[in-house]
């Protein structure tokens, strides 16, 4: 996990050479995830409370599909 790129809005978090971003929706509660772009097409996800813990890696297309369904489940079309 070395390359560093800026991902959309969020707060950059220092650490392991990857530029992690915390959601602007977290509100400082600490109950959120952080994301980073590992390399083109690959997104890393980790728990914001455990920055040295496990890191999940997803292809961008797979994470986008998951988030699309999650948002639709939370906010169904009228």
């Amino acid at each position: 996990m070395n390359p560093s790129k800026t991902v959309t809005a969020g707060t950059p978090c220092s650490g392991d050479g990857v530029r992690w971003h915390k959601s602007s929706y977290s509100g400082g509660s600490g109950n959120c995830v952080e994301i980073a772009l590992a390399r083109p097409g690959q997104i890393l996800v980790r728990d914001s409370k455990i920055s040295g813990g496990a890191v999940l890696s997803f292809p961008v297309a797979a994470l986008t599909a998951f988030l699309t369904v999650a948002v639709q489940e939370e906010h169904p079309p009228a």
Side-chain angles (χ1 to χ4, degrees), residues 22-72:
K22 187 181 296 187
S23 170
S24 58
Y25 290 99
S26 69
S29 68
N31 295 326
C32 66
V33 295
E34 296 171 341
I35 63 168
L37 183 60
R39 61 181 182 271
Q42 201 71 22
I43 297 288
L44 303 177
V45 181
R46 71 180 182 185
D47 186 330
S48 63
K49 295 181 301 299
I50 311 170
S51 61
V55 174
L56 302 173
S57 178
F58 298 96
V60 170
L63 188 58
T64 300
F66 169 77
L67 293 173
T68 299
V69 170
V71 167
Q72 288 172 352

Side-chain angles (χ1 to χ4, degrees), residues 5-6 8 10-11 33 36 40 49 68-69 75 77:
K5 285 199 173 187
T6 302
T8 56
T11 305
V33 295
K49 295 181 301 299
T68 299
V69 170
H75 305 285

